[in-house]
Amino acid sequence: MGKRVILVPLDPVHDIGLKMIGRALSERGHETRLLQPDLSCEEIVGEISRYRCDYALVGRTLGYGVEEMLARLADLADAAGLRPKVKMVVGGMAIKPELAAELGYDAGFGPNTPVEEVVAYVEGRPYDPRGGVPPRSKPSLTRGYTYRFRNSEVEALLSGIVEEVVCWASGVTSPGVERARIRSRMFESRREGEGEEGLAREYERLCEPVVAESCRGAGVPKARAVTPSEKERLERRLLGRTKGETQLRHGRDKPLVFVQYGTGCPLMDVAHVEVAESWGADGVVHFDPSWAARREGLFRGLLAHEEDGSLITEENLRLVKSGLGDPTLWQVRAHRGLNTAETVVLAGECGADLTKINIAYGSLGGGTDPERLAADGVEAMRQAARYGMPFDVVTNEELCGVPAHKAFAGMLITAAVGIRLGGLPVLQPLFCRSPQVMLEGFMADNYVDFNAAKVLALRQILDAPIWPGAPIGFLTHTPDRVQASVTTALHACLASSLGVDAISISSADEAYSGGPISAASRVDTLRAVREGLRFFGRAGIEPTDRARLWASDIVEGIVSVLRDVARGGSFVGALYEGLLGSREEGAYPGRVGRGTVKKVRAG
Amino acid sequence: MRRVAGRGQAAVAVGIAGTAKNTGKTTSLRALMDECGRRGWGVCVTGIGFDGEDLDNVTRLPKPRIPCRDGVLVATALDCLGAGDAEVAVEHETGIETALGRVCVGTVRRAGFVVIAGPNKSSDLSRLLRTIRARPEPPAVILVDGAFGRIAPMGVCDGLFIATGAARNPVIGPLATETRSMVKVFDIPKVGPRTGGGDDIEVRGVASPAALHRLAETLGPGLSGRSVIVSSPTCLLASGDPPAIEEAMERISSLGGSLRVRRRPALLGVTVNPFFPVRLSEGRYETGRVDEDELLSAFRMRIGRPVWDVVAEGAAGMADAVESLASGMGGCSLEGEDGGFVE
């Protein structure tokens, strides 16, 4: 049955919202009447009374003294005996349900409220923000990609290099490889209800003393155990709540937007993840401290770390997982240390959707010995394939000064090994103002062409998903939160225009926070990206002709590097020799874990 | 300890109505809750706004939170239950809808802060009071926190405290004058057995000062010996400034008529707050204060009702006033556990 609705604009300028609602209500058969905007509270109450309406929708932008006027209007309507019959609703800028309750209204709607939500309220039915569309399901980054090479020369070169890597890896092992396998057997034992004690002792023998002691309940450096009451309070206040669905994209399915969390405290991580999800992030990335990645073995327990980066433990990961919304993609990075393979096992067991593995970056920019990370990286990719878990291959060595084509060659070798082992790699070029770019002047005119060239180059080589990171706009951010948000949004718009599959974005204070990242700064960039993607919709950004030329240069450079690696006959050797990034360029083969790779005894 | 009202007795409902934001409603409520606790009275707390948040919705200045001890009954909207750190065991949903969800009634099982958003209009507050009073063991006192300067819903309470202060007007003289006018509005007599007859004039709904003046204008001497009946003092106060209402009352009186109300909550006293927010620019405020002693002495000289600064004095006087009101309702008195209570 149609309702009688009176529309009360208290503000002569900002009544467009009420007009839109009025039109929607009329179209649905309700009777509406729009009052003029300059009536007194007494006159409005008189009109509400005479019109015998069911609803009075009051619209006003909050300003000095406006709350008092709105409160008085509600009070006057109450005194006039109208409230049992007339529902009073307030809407406008700065209106929240809390303020509506305080002012005496039955409901309050803030800015950007969909007209349909108000119509649903008037009709007394629940509002479905999806408009009948089924709930968002978990997206896939890799679906639809064939992983076929489009450049036959690159394919041929990689084929030889991959065989060499896989063959070499099958003849070696390391403490990290062994721990990953033991950890995997521990989970299997647990599933089958068998004891883990024997395996646990075997595991501890492969750990550094400080890690082994933590497995037996000792304290962990720079960390403390989360107390049961802290965990209980988190569970009571945060977990299990229905999450809102904010859509960042407008008119496009891509790119999925990832943010990185890693406050150090898993409880705070859950809160940060909830903020990110609430403001539209599609996925979150677990950021762990680099010092822990340089230890042999993973710590145990629900642990809060005193610096940024959240320790990778089974308990920490399971807590974060329990706070994640169903459609949210979850990546646990494994890429750069002595626990790479084991982290993949833990991530897979704890329900992660994605991981991150790259041998070249981890050993040239991440501090790990190339031989060790090659052995562990291959095992990590085997484990990732076993869990059906895609992994991105990052190229952060560009930030050290390695030219893009060399970083890409390393990425493509890792990706090709992954494909060979049945895995699903995702290519992660950086959208950044790298040292190479600064030295060569590639971004003297704009930030578009060189970033676009990277994507175009990779597409000429391989049919695989592309996920620029990490975060986009690296080295274009300043401590100014507005600037950092704008540059993030612009890089996101470029990514959207190029049709890439995903992006990682930073918070507005990430590069210069000088401490923990704030939730407000996280929202800054998510809001900025949303506005940027709304602005462009399906329209695009047109790179200049230089993008295509640079893309060709990058492909030629990649081919040249791969030729050199193939000619040398050893991928690990190429890493030490600087073929994938030299000391002069800023790439230094890492030393952590050196000498720990052992040949596997035959038989 | 006197935890509950007696069988067949109504729990006394006491509101704390402010004249503006930041006049000390929640501070007065907290002080009175503390005092009720000390005296062993069972308490239900609710409110007609949104209270207990740590920062003001508008000024972003800190606000007093609402601590609740074990056993206190709370009536608040569903969405607010998780906002405080007190553990509240929900006993039932009332069916009263608010902007923050349905109002629930529950008991505090672990002491802590609560956020209160109860029924925010007369009809819903009246329904909640009936619900609370219908409990097998109703609390002795139902405390209703106010919101902004809203007063209309408070008309369904048995008793009221007015919270006012420098946030309403930092100039003490006019503030005291206005409050004295409010007291006079609450002193308007109720309709007696012989009023409400054929010659009397019943004003339904809003009776603004302008409407009362128009009535006086129209009837002139014809008002002589007749009563003008309005529903309650709170309806009068919702429709105009107290001095304007007082002026209209005097005009009716000068024509030989009189103003009467159908029902009225007892005005139990006034609490004053010397604090006021100073607006610096859009969204930026700082705090200011007037002289507390001057404020108190001006009020005590002119108001004709008890006046308290609860921060300095506590709420013993307020609780005494509540006890006195309760003893006047059905002949019961609020007594401690050892003494039981008189039915």
Side-chain angles (χ1 to χ4, degrees):
Chain A
M1 193 171 147
K3 305 282 187 193
R4 290 167 71 86
V5 182
I6 199 161
L7 306 163
V8 188
L10 297 183
D11 180 332
V13 180
H14 301 101
D15 63 350
I16 181 65
L18 276 180
K19 286 175 178 163
M20 288 167 68
I21 291 165
R23 174 180 287 194
L25 287 168
S26 298
E27 283 170 358
R28 290 184 60 86
H30 304 290
E31 199 178 307
T32 63
R33 183 172 166 212
L34 180 70
L35 296 185
Q36 65 187 71
D38 55 352
L39 300 179
S40 68
C41 289
E42 286 78 5
E43 288 170 316
I44 292 165
V45 168
E47 293 289 343
I48 292 171
S49 176
R50 273 189 290 281
Y51 190 56
R52 295 180 183 281
C53 59
D54 303 299
Y55 288 83
L57 308 187
V58 184
R60 171 71 206 239
T61 296
L62 282 190
Y64 190 53
V66 173
E67 297 94 339
E68 283 76 6
M69 184 170 69
L70 287 165
R72 184 159 182 271
L73 178 59
D75 222 24
L76 206 55
D78 196 336
L82 297 171
R83 299 301 301 276
K85 297 173 219 141
V86 184
K87 280 212 156 61
M88 292 191 70
V89 180
V90 61
M93 298 297 283
I95 298 291
K96 297 183 293 186
E98 291 83 353
L99 189 58
E102 194 171 2
L103 294 169
Y105 289 75
D106 293 287
F109 295 101
N112 302 320
T113 300
V115 168
E116 175 55 28
E117 187 174 350
V118 183
V119 172
Y121 179 78
V122 167
E123 294 180 346
R125 59 183 167 82
Y127 169 60
D128 176 7
R130 292 186 297 271
V133 176
R136 198 153 58 105
S137 56
K138 193 168 276 191
S140 165
L141 268 175
T142 54
R143 188 178 300 136
Y145 286 98
T146 62
Y147 287 100
R148 288 202 187 104
F149 282 90
R150 292 176 173 135
N151 182 311
S152 55
E153 187 175 9
V154 170
E155 183 177 17
L157 288 165
L158 283 174
S159 172
I161 295 167
V162 165
E163 284 314 309
E164 183 274 322
V165 172
V166 173
C167 178
W168 170 82
S170 67
V172 296
T173 188
S174 76
V177 170
E178 295 303 316
R179 279 198 310 275
R181 291 172 183 168
I182 293 170
R183 180 74 86 147
S184 186
R185 281 160 55 204
M186 286 166 75
F187 281 113
E188 279 163 26
S189 293
R190 196 187 298 177
R191 271 192 289 274
E192 287 163 15
E194 296 168 3
E196 295 174 40
E197 293 76 20
L199 288 167
R201 276 195 297 277
E202 205 179 323
Y203 175 87
E204 286 167 25
R205 278 198 291 275
L206 293 162
C207 296
E208 288 184 29
V210 66
V211 179
E213 283 158 20
S214 101
C215 294
R216 294 192 288 268
V220 172
K222 304 186 191 181
R224 71 164 177 85
V226 173
T227 66
S229 76
E230 286 171 330
K231 182 167 180 269
E232 189 267 332
R233 267 184 295 175
L234 172 97
E235 285 166 346
R236 192 153 50 89
R237 298 188 68 158
L238 272 183
L239 301 185
R241 298 201 306 184
T242 307
K243 305 197 181 201
E245 285 190 17
T246 302
Q247 177 62 261
L248 290 179
R249 289 165 296 280
H250 183 80
R252 291 178 187 253
D253 296 331
K254 298 174 183 177
L256 301 174
V257 178
F258 285 76
V259 301
Q260 191 165 271
Y261 69 86
T263 61
C265 170
L267 308 181
M268 196 62 84
D269 285 344
V270 171
H272 269 255
V273 166
E274 173 145 351
V275 169
E277 287 174 320
S278 301
W279 291 91
D282 301 286
V284 292
V285 181
H286 186 100
F287 174 87
D288 59 309
S290 55
W291 67 264
R294 292 175 181 178
R295 302 273 184 185
E296 291 279 12
L298 293 173
F299 293 106
R300 187 168 288 180
L302 193 58
L303 300 173
H305 177 218
E306 67 184 22
E307 296 166 6
D308 66 338
S310 297
L311 290 164
I312 291 178
T313 69
E314 183 182 351
E315 293 81 357
N316 280 6
L317 291 184
R318 290 206 188 276
L319 183 76
V320 171
K321 171 67 179 172
S322 69
L324 284 169
D326 291 339
T328 304
L329 288 164
W330 184 34
Q331 183 185 46
V332 177
R333 311 184 314 167
H335 62 309
R336 72 201 187 299
L338 303 182
N339 305 306
T340 295
E342 188 187 350
T343 300
V344 171
V345 173
L346 202 53
E349 291 290 338
C350 292
D353 304 291
L354 298 152
T355 184
K356 183 188 280 284
I357 305 167
N358 189 2
I359 299 167
Y361 161 62
S363 49
L364 296 179
T368 306
D369 173 58
E371 182 187 38
R372 170 63 187 268
L373 195 54
D376 286 21
V378 172
E379 176 66 16
M381 287 188 273
R382 281 188 205 282
Q383 296 286 358
R386 198 164 66 83
Y387 287 102
M389 189 164 48
F391 59 93
D392 80 65
V393 191
V394 72
T395 48
N396 280 21
E397 61 267 45
E398 258 203 87
L399 300 175
C400 308
V402 174
H405 67 274
K406 287 193 178 179
F408 283 12
M411 168 171 67
L412 287 166
I413 293 170
T414 304
V417 172
I419 295 166
R420 165 76 167 71
L421 298 172
L424 298 164
V426 180
L427 306 178
Q428 190 158 94
L430 293 185
F431 270 12
C432 68
R433 196 157 162 261
S434 65
Q436 178 201 17
V437 159
M438 290 189 238
L439 289 170
E440 303 282 347
F442 289 158
M443 289 185 175
D445 179 66
N446 64 67
Y447 289 177
V448 171
D449 289 338
F450 196 68
N451 287 322
K454 290 177 176 178
V455 173
L456 296 175
L458 291 173
R459 285 201 176 127
Q460 287 172 30
I461 292 171
L462 181 63
D463 180 34
I466 298 177
W467 173 0
I472 51 170
F474 216 115
L475 296 177
T476 68
H477 300 105
T478 71
D480 176 342
R481 278 170 55 180
V482 174
Q483 186 278 341
S485 303
V486 170
T487 189
T488 294
L490 290 171
H491 282 86
C493 293
L494 175 61
S496 172
S497 176
L498 290 166
V500 300
D501 301 275
I503 50 175
S504 292
I505 65 167
S506 63
S507 69
D509 62 357
E510 195 156 319
Y512 296 91
S513 67
I517 289 164
S518 67
S521 295
R522 196 173 285 298
V523 172
D524 283 347
T525 47
L526 284 164
R527 284 290 292 119
V529 166
R530 187 177 174 202
E531 286 305 307
L533 298 182
R534 174 66 187 88
F535 181 83
F536 279 100
R538 276 186 283 229
I541 295 171
E542 187 66 40
T544 73
D545 292 341
R546 275 179 303 179
R548 216 166 295 282
L549 296 173
W550 280 334
S552 299
D553 290 347
I554 290 170
V555 174
E556 278 176 29
I558 291 168
V559 171
S560 169
V561 172
L562 293 179
R563 276 192 201 126
D564 291 343
V565 175
R567 198 176 302 122
S570 163
F571 171 53
V572 172
L575 289 167
Y576 286 115
E577 289 161 26
L579 299 182
L580 295 153
S582 67
R583 284 175 169 79
E584 295 71 33
E585 288 159 341
Y588 294 88
R591 293 178 295 176
V592 178
R594 186 161 294 180
T596 55
V597 174
K598 303 273 183 284
K599 286 216 164 67
V600 179
R601 282 186 219 145
Chain B
M1 186 183 293
R2 173 68 203 284
R3 300 291 305 169
V4 297
R7 186 174 297 280
Q9 288 183 331
V12 61
V14 176
I16 297 172
T19 54
K21 278 182 82 67
N22 304 117
T23 49
K25 295 179 287 288
T26 306
T27 302
S28 300
L29 175 90
R30 279 176 55 146
L32 186 52
M33 285 174 72
D34 279 353
E35 188 60 31
C36 290
R38 263 193 290 279
R39 296 183 183 204
W41 299 347
V43 169
C44 172
V45 61
T46 188
I48 62 167
F50 178 75
D51 288 293
E53 75 277 28
D54 47 2
L55 291 178
D56 186 277
N57 257 319
V58 177
T59 64
R60 310 309 295 164
L61 291 173
K63 286 193 71 176
R65 304 192 72 189
I66 303 176
C68 274
R69 59 193 158 80
D70 288 3
V72 167
L73 203 61
V74 172
T76 188
L78 203 54
D79 289 2
C80 297
L81 283 173
D85 60 2
E87 193 176 311
V88 179
V90 175
E91 291 163 26
H92 67 273
E93 290 189 7
T94 60
I96 298 167
E97 298 288 350
T98 75
L100 294 165
R102 192 165 286 179
V103 175
C104 301
V105 178
T107 302
V108 174
R109 293 291 178 219
R110 192 173 65 191
F113 292 110
V114 293
V115 173
I116 298 288
N120 64 8
K121 49 193 176 189
S122 307
S123 48
D124 285 348
L125 180 58
S126 184
R127 185 173 158 194
L128 177 72
L129 297 182
R130 282 198 303 275
T131 304
I132 301 292
R133 286 167 174 154
R135 290 170 66 86
E137 292 191 339
V141 185
I142 305 168
L143 296 177
V144 185
D145 199 3
F148 277 91
R150 292 170 46 225
I151 197 160
M154 294 297 191
V156 302
C157 293
D158 304 307
L160 273 189
F161 293 99
I162 298 288
T164 191
R168 169 75 177 176
N169 187 344
V171 187
I172 293 173
L175 179 67
T177 303
E178 180 194 66
T179 311
R180 189 184 59 193
S181 297
M182 288 183 86
V183 172
K184 285 187 177 174
V185 175
F186 276 99
D187 283 342
I188 295 172
K190 280 171 74 174
V191 287
R194 280 184 295 178
T195 44
D199 285 345
D200 294 334
I201 301 154
E202 180 105 23
V203 181
R204 294 188 193 281
V206 177
S208 67
L212 295 175
H213 278 296
R214 273 201 304 278
L215 189 69
E217 189 84 38
T218 309
L219 295 178
L223 266 176
S224 181
R226 298 169 76 182
S227 294
V228 177
I229 302 167
V230 299
S231 56
S232 74
T234 51
C235 281
L236 278 169
L237 288 166
S239 60
D241 283 339
I245 301 167
E246 187 185 358
E247 196 184 314
M249 284 162 60
E250 282 166 3
R251 185 164 180 197
I252 290 169
S253 178
S254 72
L255 291 166
S258 61
L259 209 55
R260 293 284 186 274
V261 291
R262 282 270 167 216
R263 62 174 193 282
R264 64 173 193 194
L267 180 58
L268 303 175
V270 176
T271 65
V272 289
N273 181 10
F275 156 86
F276 63 102
V278 181
R279 184 175 184 265
L280 302 175
S281 60
E282 188 64 46
R284 289 181 61 234
Y285 291 79
E286 65 178 17
T287 57
R289 292 183 83 85
V290 298
D291 186 286
E292 286 164 59
D293 294 336
E294 195 186 332
L295 180 68
L296 266 176
S297 66
F299 267 68
R300 283 181 173 149
M301 204 180 306
R302 296 168 70 176
I303 299 303
R305 282 288 199 286
V307 179
W308 304 281
D309 174 352
V310 293
V311 173
E313 302 168 296
M318 293 176 78
D320 289 344
V322 172
E323 184 163 24
S324 173
L325 173 70
S327 61
M329 289 169 56
C332 70
S333 66
L334 294 166
E335 291 179 14
E337 185 178 46
D338 298 334
F341 65 97
V342 180
E343 287 194 61

